[in-house]
Amino acid sequence: MRFRILAGCCALVALLPGCGGSHAQARAATHDDLQAIIAVPTSGVRNGASGAPLTGIVVSGEITNNDTQTIRCGNASFVLMHGTNAILPSKTWCAAPALDAGQTAAFSLTFAAPGGGDLTLQLTHPDGSYERHDLAIPR
């Protein structure tokens, strides 16, 4: 539970320009590391606070490290944007938790989130830049 709170705070700090002290301002990445992204609705996602089942979204695809720094594939790297709300994954699976330059791995993320509206998947790169991908959720 404490890890999720810490990961959530770290992700939110990365999203808010000017909140990182001496860190560089967040900016769009010059390249995309995510591809073959598929998003589908799901049910039975557990809410961390109450444990109540909620509807959610499962997002899967491939991540390729197109940079020289190692990329971490985990909760703190991904955020689902629903309007201006940032939602951390409730469950993350990566075929490789860390990818060196040129490596590719499959990933799957589960979010307790509404199925409608404008949804965007965001990946934060090791240099602080980010990439965003609009998600099309089938009904």
Side-chain angles (χ1 to χ4, degrees), residues 19-99:
C19 289
S22 63
H23 297 294
Q25 186 172 354
R27 66 193 184 297
T30 57
H31 61 277
D32 286 345
D33 289 339
L34 300 180
Q35 56 273 345
I37 300 169
I38 298 171
V40 294
T42 187
S43 61
V45 176
R46 297 291 175 188
N47 176 344
S50 69
L54 302 171
T55 59
I57 298 162
V58 175
V59 180
S60 59
E62 288 187 339
I63 182 170
T64 300
N65 187 352
N66 293 307
D67 207 344
T68 56
Q69 291 180 304
T70 299
I71 264 189
R72 301 272 175 230
C73 184
N75 276 9
S77 300
F78 294 96
V79 175
L80 180 72
M81 298 301 297
H82 182 246
T84 58
N85 297 322
I87 303 166
L88 291 172
S90 58
K91 189 188 297 184
T92 303
W93 173 83
C94 295
L99 291 102

